[in-house]
Amino acid sequence: MSLDSKIPEGPLAEKWTKHKFNLKLVNPSNKRKYDIIVVGTGLAGGAAAASFGELGYNVKAFCYQDSPRRAHSIAAQGGINAAKNYQNDGDSVFRLFYDTIKGGDYRSREANVYRLAEVSNNIIDQCVAQGVPFAREYGGLLDNRSFGGAQVSRTFYARGQTGQQLLLGAYSALSRQIAAGKVTMFTRNEMLDVVIIDGKARGIITRNLVTGKIESHSAHAVVLATGGYGNVFFLSTNAMGCNGSAVWRAYKKGAFFGNPCFTQIHPTCIPVHGDQQSKLTLMSESLRNDGRVWVPKEVTVAEKLRKRQIKPSDISEEERDYYLERIYPSFGNLVPRDVASRNAKNVCDEGKGVGETGLAVYLDFRDAIKRDGIEVIKAKYGNLFQMYEKITAENPYETPMMIYPAVHYTMGGLWVDYNLQTTIPGLFAAGECNFSDHGANRLGASALMQGLADGYFVIPYTIGNYLAGIPNARVSTDHPAFAEAEKEIKDRINTLLNIKGTKTVDHFHKELGKIMWEKCGMSRDEKRLKEAKVEIKKLRDEYWKDVKVLGVNEELNMTLEKALRVADFMELGELMVEDALDRKESCGGHFREESQTEEGEAKRDDVNFTYVSAWEFKGDDKPAALHKEELVFENVKLTQRSYK
Amino acid sequence: MEKERNYTLKIWRQPNAQSKGAFKTYEVKNISTGSSFLEMLDILNEEISEKGEDPVHFDHDCREGICGMCSLFINGRPHGPEEEITVCQLHMRTFANGTTITIEPWRAKAFPVIKDLIVDRTAFDRIIQAGGFVSINTGGVPDANAIPIAKHDAELAMDAAACIGCGACVAACKNASAMLFVSAKVSQLALLPQGQAERKKRALAMVEQMDEEGFGACTNTGACSAECPKGIDLSNIARMNRDYFTAAIS
């Protein structure tokens, strides 16, 4: 099968407009004859489900949480980008497009990214009309701030809770459609498989998480908006329930997986405190505007700090290494996320890390407080400082914060064409769960933008084109394909419950996380990736022999839920390693030690790797097949990123 | 300060909505003071799972204090003893070594127990569905800067919009009233120009749905606001009452 990205012809700025005109339409009175399933109700899924309902389609929406208002989009702090140019500082659709392509290290599609920038302005209008209380100036107009990777102020925000407010906006629109009877909402339900009939996605199988009932749902099209798979690493900033099962099941049914190895490791998270940790907390990237990152120059000094024999304030200026300022004099502490993360790892690997575990660096506000006064710093970062103090019991006004990188976002996901359709006709993917817009590295404040762009302004158009081309006859869930898929799931559940092994699901998840973090994390090389491949395979075999899953299916059983997710994470982890092995260049968040400049910086290889990896499932225990979508750049010139 | 502590936990166990629940006592040992409350429960669950006992079920997800999923009643207070945080932000250094900690689900008629510490809060969703939105479709809306909004009003709206829908207000109230939750949404939209067209209708519909769900009446004790992890102010209830009565007589 060959990959067709379906990028429209014509000049970049006209592609989307032309494409919208060329898309087939479903006439208003026919829309009620079509059913759409939406899995996941975060920004992308919630926005899509609400918009489909408004258009007149019949929608069934599913989420594993107790309410669509709780999807993990809610945790995004900083803001949402848009090319409004309200600040008159030279922003434009083209500039937002350019920054996003460059920030992604030239591994995303020009046409998709341009469309994202183009619809960004509509998103802000839409959210304001919904009653989202964005920050405002005294004159009553919207306020903006700036974010990493951009030289203009284009980020709209609602305090440090932008994701929450945007999600509640989408949730309110969705609630309105639920009340109108156009959307039927299934909460505490998890999708366990997608059903393909005559080569098209025609439904899903779900498990009711309260009763354990396995159910079939049919539709004319299925939209996955199930978020990222960062929890492969066990510890991440994702919510505890975030998982990769929906996309993994789609992959195993024939949807190609794009760039699985592209993961974003965020530099400013609160360090791990010990073995008892289950979750990591992100501190906003904005802190790097005023905080200075440092470690002691000498390993012996770092050792004393770790043993609490001395305090950071005992260390003189000459004994400190402000390594980001030293290595990158022009960008200093504001280098992009991938660069900041990798350098923190390097200094800790050299034995200069601080904190009890030695896996932390300082983010010090001493000089900023001296320069601007404590009140100015408090006004800017008060809530973040307070959150830090609650978690660590240390006062960042008096002693430097400690930070360390953590898994945060996955740029990879299901491969989709320009219409956000996967390689399975009728199966679409929106938001973080597709691979489409961020290339090898995502810029801050762009995840919210992409989720809402896909949900409000892209998929409502493109799905109509698909539906207009298929007959409106409904498929009954009595079709044998549903029974077959249900049986497969029930067998998988029974197998897990009957292993009755000796080790808990979390034990395996932690082991998987360790392998992935150490061998397929911030820095990768062929030798360790090959080891990881063997180790994951071994762990997976052991899992199916020795995992202990208590209880029965017919109840609320969180161990079973997790057991199903971890089984999929292991297979997904293997594919991530496979993809990281194939991509011998360094780009964005993917750093291959074999591919670096003399100064130790990431070295892209545009001659051999300007492509999207799209992996095809070939069967259990058979190697996945790699398809390459060559990326064509007609509007930007590829340059090596430099932040020195 | 000792770095690791031991606790006795009295936890509400209830297999499902139909069966009767009871407290069960557990001991946990060597809990790091840096652990969060929910990490402490994760450790307990690992231990009891290894022994073959069904783990304690509790709702949780983001573990950053924003999704509103976690909902434990600890030592008689929703989200435990600290001010303005959720359970997932509560850390074990708050609890002295050797103490007994009592953990219960939210208790309210409108929030029936599903299992152990998990309750059904879909009543909140139905209240929002009754009118907690602005009736506009995707697309065709004016430019975001077309209507200026005074900074002061935007800030007040944001204060109300910060509600995470966790239900601590209901759990804290002796009448299990949902007035703080409902008034937060009513206020957010009443404070913004976008919410004016449906302002009266919204207040009436949401209050009516709230009553239908079986939440109790408000007697202005203020326990809801005092225990709210996001510090939602009691004045929102006054604002909703005014809108409700204005709508009811007009």
Side-chain angles (χ1 to χ4, degrees), chain A residues 475-629:
Chain A
V475 170
S476 159
T477 51
D478 294 336
H479 190 286
F482 283 96
E484 201 182 299
E486 278 196 26
K487 184 178 178 297
E488 213 175 286
I489 288 164
K490 284 175 187 162
D491 288 349
R492 187 150 32 109
I493 289 171
N494 285 334
T495 308
L496 280 168
L497 288 169
N498 287 320
I499 295 171
K500 300 191 193 299
T502 61
K503 293 185 182 123
T504 63
V505 177
D506 263 4
H507 164 84
F508 287 96
H509 195 184
K510 281 180 191 171
E511 288 300 309
L512 174 68
K514 251 184 239 162
I515 299 169
M516 293 302 291
W517 180 245
E518 278 160 23
K519 300 187 172 170
C520 191
M522 269 186 281
S523 177
R524 302 155 175 186
D525 67 61
E526 186 170 323
K527 181 173 161 282
R528 282 179 306 148
L529 285 168
K530 284 187 168 159
E531 287 166 11
K533 226 174 122 168
V534 177
E535 287 167 24
I536 298 171
K537 172 88 175 56
K538 199 171 143 235
L539 189 70
R540 187 152 67 90
D541 290 344
E542 199 191 328
Y543 186 77
W544 288 99
K545 281 187 203 121
D546 197 24
V547 71
K548 179 194 283 218
V549 186
L550 299 166
V552 294
N553 174 58
E554 291 72 27
E555 63 174 350
L556 205 171
N557 185 340
M558 285 187 166
T559 318
L560 176 60
E561 287 167 29
K562 186 137 198 225
L564 288 161
R565 293 170 190 164
V566 171
D568 290 337
F569 276 145
M570 288 199 217
E571 296 180 12
L572 176 50
E574 276 187 82
L575 188 69
M576 290 166 72
V577 169
E578 197 64 52
D579 187 44
L581 265 173
D582 167 72
R583 195 169 283 276
K584 294 185 174 66
E585 64 161 352
S586 295
C587 63
H590 170 67
F591 186 77
R592 277 290 297 260
E593 288 174 13
E594 300 91 334
S595 181
Q596 47 183 313
T597 63
E598 279 170 19
E599 295 111 342
E601 296 300 323
K603 194 168 137 199
R604 237 178 36 232
D605 177 356
D606 291 332
V607 177
N608 296 304
F609 293 96
T610 310
Y611 62 78
V612 174
S613 321
W615 294 89
E616 181 186 9
F617 179 70
K618 285 290 190 186
D620 284 316
D621 294 315
K622 281 188 194 139
L626 175 63
H627 301 260
K628 295 177 183 178
E629 180 198 342

Side-chain angles (χ1 to χ4, degrees), chain B residues 50-62:
Chain B
E50 273 166 23
K51 289 180 201 145
E53 183 180 338
D54 192 27
V56 177
H57 280 61
F58 58 93
D59 264 334
H60 63 104
D61 204 22
C62 80

